[in-house]
Amino acid sequence: MAEVSSFSRLEIACLEGRLQSVRFRQKSFHSLYNIIQTQSSNIKDAIAADTGHTEAEVTLEYALAISELRSHYDELNLEEDIKQQHSLENLKATTTNTGIVYLIPSKQNLFYSVISALTASLAAGNCVVVELPTTLTQVSGLLRKMLPSALDSDVFAISSTRPPQDFLSKCQVVSQAEEDDDTLSSSAKVVAIVDRSANVSEAASIIGTSRVSFNGRAAYAPDLVLVNEFVADDFLFHLVQAVTTPLSKPSNSTINHQQRSSPKAQSDGVGQIMKELESSEGVRVVMSGASGNIVEVKDRQKAPLGRRIEGRVILVCRITSLDDAIDLCNGLKTPLQASYVFAAPTEANYLSRYTDARISCTNHIPAELLGNRSICTSTSDDSAESISTLSDYSVPVPTT
């Protein structure tokens, strides 16, 4: 009954246009930022306890969340809003909000998934409902305490169960959940292409890190790596180094998580993939170990190129030319979810232009994509750029 009452308050606030006020949205962002900053240690400990991620990965997720909050806050221009309100005619006026956003966050990197979509929705002037079922995960429990205390109950609510359809029909449903996300089904693929004109050692380091980070569960890590045959041996050499070099020491919470987890359960997914690949006559195992697995495709006709890869497994296939890479990518039945092109500008432009992919990034893999299942939550112009530092993230306080 309490949730139904909260939904009614959101509908009233939506009709009244409470979030049309830029000042109100700014205050909401300040309150949200303050509680995230105050609870930073608890947030990081909760993430590490739930996921077993390393200290660097936990810090990255926290920093990405703060970066999203800051980016969306910067979009709020109080001075411009006042000018528009006093103008006789506003030629720039557009309708950007949808009213109420119902968010179903991903279980993977839960904290970042919630904060990124929540801040984007608030910045656009929407009321928000976040679906957080009652579970034993620490991040979920912390969010259930933090968010209601930071945000006005007239514009924000948490739902422990899926509301009735008559309420959902009034909302814009944003689903990042694996079971509900058709765009990240087993048919969607992510491919990295390394041309002979690329910085091979840097490409190997970036690709290897993306595949083994977050326990190999990053949604937008490459499922297949296409490497020009002239630099393939050099690439594999640097890729082995990238995979076997630890990114950082595990935190105490990470060690405790690993001790509680079953080693068999952790290796079942990777073991199943490796068993499938090893049983194929068209592949060669370059390396296999706890830090990661590298498998090279020797025969495209016999290798399972059309499947999604989960876990710390990197599938590498040699290509003969740019057109060979394009034909192989476009022949995977469905458009690519993302493509990462490592090449000189001219070659990168050619590959990006003719490869059928939802997004394409050149010479880097954005950290934002590795931390989230949805690529549509950020409205910042900088959303396609990787973050090079994990510190000095703050929300500027406007003068009154």
Side-chain angles (χ1 to χ4, degrees):
M1 294 296 294
E3 291 181 353
V4 174
S5 176
S6 298
F7 297 159
S8 299
R9 297 179 67 172
L10 262 65
E11 292 183 55
I12 294 173
C14 181
L15 292 173
E16 293 178 344
R18 291 282 302 277
L19 278 164
Q20 296 305 308
S21 168
V22 172
R23 175 57 80 183
F24 181 85
R25 279 179 274 171
Q26 285 182 331
K27 290 182 177 179
S28 298
F29 271 81
H30 278 274
S31 179
L32 182 60
Y33 171 76
N34 288 335
I35 196 167
I36 291 177
Q37 187 182 46
T38 303
Q39 296 289 330
S40 60
S41 297
N42 294 333
I43 292 171
K44 293 178 183 178
D45 290 341
I47 294 173
D50 287 346
T51 63
H53 293 164
T54 64
E55 183 177 352
E57 291 167 345
V58 171
T59 304
L60 174 61
E61 181 175 351
Y62 178 83
L64 287 174
I66 294 295
S67 177
E68 284 288 304
L69 188 151
R70 186 184 69 175
S71 297
H72 294 302
Y73 177 88
D74 289 342
E75 297 170 6
L76 304 177
N77 191 325
L78 181 61
E79 182 179 355
E80 183 67 24
D81 182 66
I82 294 175
K83 289 181 180 179
Q84 292 176 1
Q85 291 181 13
H86 288 81
S87 63
L88 296 177
E89 185 178 11
N90 182 13
L91 300 179
K92 297 181 180 180
T94 58
T95 302
T96 58
N97 66 317
T98 59
I100 302 176
V101 172
Y102 186 87
L103 173 62
I104 307 173
S106 169
K107 297 178 182 178
Q108 173 73 8
N109 298 336
L110 177 62
F111 179 72
Y112 173 59
S113 297
V114 170
I115 298 302
S116 60
L118 172 62
T119 53
S121 301
L122 289 176
N126 298 292
C127 299
V128 183
V129 180
V130 178
E131 182 177 290
L132 288 174
T134 304
T135 63
L136 297 178
T137 58
Q138 295 189 27
V139 174
S140 178
L142 194 58
L143 287 172
R144 294 178 67 88
K145 294 178 181 178
M146 289 172 45
L147 297 181
S149 63
L151 300 173
D152 194 315
S153 58
D154 286 341
V155 299
F156 175 80
I158 289 178
S159 177
S160 57
T161 58
R162 192 69 53 85
Q165 187 60 38
D166 60 342
F167 175 75
L168 288 178
S169 62
K170 304 174 185 177
C171 305
Q172 175 68 44
V173 179
V174 177
S175 177
Q176 300 172 340
E178 292 84 347
E179 62 271 15
D180 296 328
D181 194 354
D182 294 333
T183 63
L184 285 173
S185 64
S186 58
S187 61
K189 304 168 189 68
V190 179
V191 173
I193 305 173
V194 182
D195 183 55
R196 61 191 301 181
S197 61
N199 185 326
V200 176
S201 60
E202 182 178 328
S205 176
I206 295 174
I207 293 172
T209 301
S210 70
R211 188 68 264 179
V212 302
S213 62
F214 298 112
N215 293 327
R217 298 187 59 201
Y220 287 89
D223 301 304
L224 177 63
V225 183
L226 305 179
V227 186
N228 187 282
E229 59 185 356
F230 288 98
V231 296
D233 293 334
D234 189 26
F235 176 83
L236 288 172
F237 171 77
H238 287 98
L239 186 62
V240 171
Q241 289 185 323
V243 170
T244 55
T245 302
L247 297 177
S248 68
K249 296 180 180 179
S251 61
N252 293 331
S253 299
T254 299
I255 296 174
N256 295 334
H257 173 87
Q258 292 173 344
Q259 290 174 346
R260 294 194 307 266
S261 302
S262 167
K264 182 178 183 299
Q266 292 178 349
S267 61
D268 276 349
V270 176
Q272 183 178 357
I273 294 174
M274 288 302 298
K275 184 178 180 180
E276 178 182 341
L277 292 174
E278 290 172 351
S279 62
S280 172
E281 299 178 358
V283 301
R284 175 179 71 93
V285 177
V286 177
M287 71 159 286
S288 180
S291 58
N293 305 270
I294 301 176
V295 180
E296 181 184 2
V297 174
K298 304 300 291 185
D299 188 341
R300 300 181 188 179
Q301 303 301 322
K302 299 179 180 179
L305 298 180
R307 64 157 299 161
R308 287 298 307 268
I309 297 295
E310 295 182 0
R312 298 180 174 181
V313 180
I314 305 176
L315 190 61
V316 180
C317 179
R318 299 182 186 230
I319 54 174
T320 58
S321 64
L322 301 180
D323 290 330
D324 185 30
I326 293 172
D327 292 340
L328 185 54
C329 290
N330 294 341
L332 294 176
K333 297 181 180 180
T334 58
L336 301 178
Q337 190 67 18
S339 67
Y340 307 120
V341 179
F342 295 86
T346 302
E347 289 78 2
N349 178 64
Y350 181 75
L351 288 168
S352 301
R353 183 184 297 271
Y354 293 104
T355 300
D356 189 5
R358 187 179 179 192
I359 61 170
S360 183
C361 303
T362 301
N363 293 327
H364 79 297
I365 298 179
E368 293 89 337
L369 297 189
L370 298 180
N372 201 353
R373 293 188 63 85
S374 174
I375 66 173
C376 299
T377 59
S378 176
T379 58
S380 170
D381 293 335
D382 298 329
S383 61
E385 297 182 3
S386 59
I387 291 179
S388 58
T389 178
L390 302 181
S391 61
D392 194 30
Y393 284 17
S394 60
V395 176
V397 180
T399 58
T400 56

